[in-house]
Amino acid sequence: ALSAALGAGQTLAVQRDGLAVGTAVVNGTSWTFVVSGTAPQGPNSYRAQVVAGGGFGAFSNTLAFTLDSLPPTALASVGGFEDDVLGAIAVGGFASDATPKVIGTLSTAPGTGESVQVLRDGSVVGSASVADRAWSFVEPTALGAGLYAYQARVVDAAANTSAASPS
């Protein structure tokens, strides 16, 4: 908010990362600014300044944020299961364990803030433990007899997700 309404001939200029990007719409002491196009990925900082003719007022406080709208590049795949009685089981096999361990790999090591989400029958059931490019997940719910399809995907700190692995 502005400390006072703008006077005749005054505008509110907006900068992104120190460069002019436009003029805000002002209504009394309230103002809005809509970014033209798309803000760049990564760190961004915006600030505003009252401009009157050739004179400039003080800059506002800086609004800083990081834009991350891209999905993670690492892809997760399900490699099989570990049954507490039968041992290693390939994808498509049969298990006797009601809480099997799902195991898999990542195409690359996950980035900072990225984790592996595990889905059962299309719904997220939890996050896997990750070590380098390998991951594992112990089913938290005792499953009844039936067919279950597991998938995995990578999610980053901004909740962007990679494509889910085939089930």
Side-chain angles (χ1 to χ4, degrees), residues 18-119:
L19 301 174
V21 291
T23 304
V25 175
V26 178
N27 183 7
T29 58
S30 298
W31 61 278
T32 58
F33 177 76
V34 177
V35 176
S36 176
T38 303
Q41 293 289 315
N44 286 268
S45 63
Y46 286 82
R47 63 185 184 173
Q49 180 181 42
V50 174
V51 178
F56 300 93
F59 282 108
S60 67
N61 292 334
T62 299
L63 168 67
F65 64 92
T66 299
L67 178 62
D68 176 6
S69 62
L70 301 175
T73 56
L75 298 174
S77 62
V78 176
F81 306 88
E82 289 182 9
D83 183 302
D84 62 355
V85 175
L86 301 174
I89 299 172
V91 172
F94 293 89
S96 63
D97 188 347
T99 56
K101 179 190 271 186
V102 185
I103 56 174
T105 58
L106 295 167
S107 60
T108 61
T112 302
E114 293 180 345
S115 61
V116 174
Q117 277 185 340
V118 178
L119 298 85

